[in-house]
């Protein structure tokens, strides 16, 4: 993306970690990749005790997890009321599915050790904005955090650095339907309309790095 004027530079203390994660994601080459930055009470140590960076996940790394939206055995966690069935099935192995599961596993394992009244911020970083199905997954993840931490103590954000704020694509999607089996055109939108353009200038750099940021919910 293009350089951004200095007056637009972000004051977000997590910006260096966001920029580093974007750089690491781009070393993976072509494809869709994601990572989650999990910060409890603003901690930026990422020592896996007070804050956590998930491994970078690629497409086809998801599947049978808490955030697939396609597991019928998980009552109340399916696609119904959240997103179209085809959207959920098409994206059930997207990188965000694995990343959200990884983040949740860390949070669940340490939640009891956090001080009372703790707040949490999770930034899901990717080279491409979340698709329609993964937007629904981010909302489900945010609700899980609200249930664990309480209302007003949760921030979930999506960060990505494609040139466009959002883009819609049509796919001919074939998926197994238990009744009929179907091939249909599925239209999905990557990224968020209404995201804000943020910029960070690494120390000593001549240009800033820019990315889109959207707060879920």
């Amino acid at each position: 993306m293009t350089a951004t004027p200095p007056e637009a530079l972000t004051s977000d203390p997590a910006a260096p970690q966001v920029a580093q994660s974007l750089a690491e994601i781009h070393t993976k080459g072509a494809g869709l990749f994601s990572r989650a930055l999990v910060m409890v009470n603003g901690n930026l140590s990422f020592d896996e005790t007070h804050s956590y960076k998930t491994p970078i996940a690629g497409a086809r790394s998801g599947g049978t997890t808490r955030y697939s939206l396609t597991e019928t055995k998980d009552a109340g966690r399916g696609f119904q009321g959240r997103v179209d069935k085809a959207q959920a099935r098409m994206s059930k192995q997207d990188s965000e599915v694995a990343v959200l599961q990884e983040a949740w596993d860390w949070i669940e394992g340490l939640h009891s050790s956090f001080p009372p009244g703790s707040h949490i911020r999770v930034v899901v970083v990717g080279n491409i904005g979340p698709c329609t199905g993964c937007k629904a997954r981010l909302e489900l993840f945010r609700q899980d955090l609200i249930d664990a931490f309480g209302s007003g103590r949760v921030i979930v954000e999506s960060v990505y650095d494609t040139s466009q704020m959002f883009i819609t694509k049509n796919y001919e999607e074939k998926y197994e339907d238990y009744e009929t089996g179907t091939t249909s055109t599925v239209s999905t939108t990557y990224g968020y309309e209404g995201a804000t353009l943020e910029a960070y200038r690494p120390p000593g750099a001549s240009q800033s790095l820019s990315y889109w940021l959207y707060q879920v919910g």
Side-chain angles (χ1 to χ4, degrees):
M1 298 176 69
T2 58
T4 303
E7 62 269 17
L9 294 178
T10 182
S11 59
D12 181 1
Q17 290 289 343
V18 169
Q20 179 184 337
S21 292
L22 285 168
E24 291 177 11
I25 284 170
H26 284 294
T27 67
K28 300 293 185 180
L32 189 156
F33 297 92
S34 302
R35 156 182 280 168
L37 304 176
V38 185
M39 296 155 277
V40 178
N41 296 324
N43 189 285
L44 294 170
S45 66
F46 296 100
D47 59 1
E48 299 194 14
T49 300
H50 304 93
S51 52
Y52 181 53
K53 290 191 294 187
T54 71
I56 294 172
R60 301 188 181 279
S61 58
T64 308
T65 77
R66 182 178 181 89
Y67 298 102
S68 74
L69 296 183
T70 60
E71 290 298 299
T72 56
K73 68 178 182 294
D74 294 329
R77 302 189 65 83
F79 67 88
Q80 295 91 340
R82 304 181 193 278
V83 71
D84 181 79
K85 182 179 183 180
Q87 297 278 2
R89 286 177 179 255
M90 181 178 71
S91 59
K92 71 178 182 179
Q93 290 189 319
D94 279 4
S95 61
E96 291 94 337
V97 182
V99 161
L100 293 177
Q101 181 69 59
E102 182 78 20
W104 178 256
D105 288 345
W106 182 84
I107 294 163
E108 187 177 43
L110 290 178
H111 181 255
S112 62
S113 68
F114 299 150
S118 290
H119 55 87
I120 188 168
R121 177 187 178 193
V122 179
V123 183
V124 179
V125 184
N127 56 331
I128 300 172
C131 70
T132 303
C134 287
K135 291 186 186 76
R137 293 180 175 98
L138 284 166
E139 291 169 2
L140 178 58
F141 176 73
R142 177 177 177 269
Q143 186 57 56
D144 284 346
L145 295 184
I146 290 172
D147 292 344
F149 287 83
S151 180
R153 295 176 179 161
V154 170
I155 295 175
V156 175
E157 294 166 315
S158 172
V159 161
Y160 52 98
D161 64 349
T162 51
S163 59
Q164 293 175 273
M165 180 189 296
F166 65 99
I167 184 170
T168 298
K169 293 185 177 182
N170 296 321
Y171 296 93
E172 286 292 331
E173 177 63 17
K174 183 177 182 179
Y175 63 93
E176 291 185 13
D177 185 292
Y178 293 115
E179 293 80 24
T180 62
T182 303
T183 302
S184 59
T185 300
V186 180
S187 178
T188 193
T189 300
Y190 295 91
Y192 291 92
E193 187 174 6
T196 60
L197 185 64
E198 305 290 322
Y200 167 69
R201 179 172 292 157
S206 60
Q207 287 190 324
S208 59
L209 306 172
S210 56
Y211 52 84
W212 300 106
L213 181 147
Y214 184 85
Q215 184 168 320
V216 178

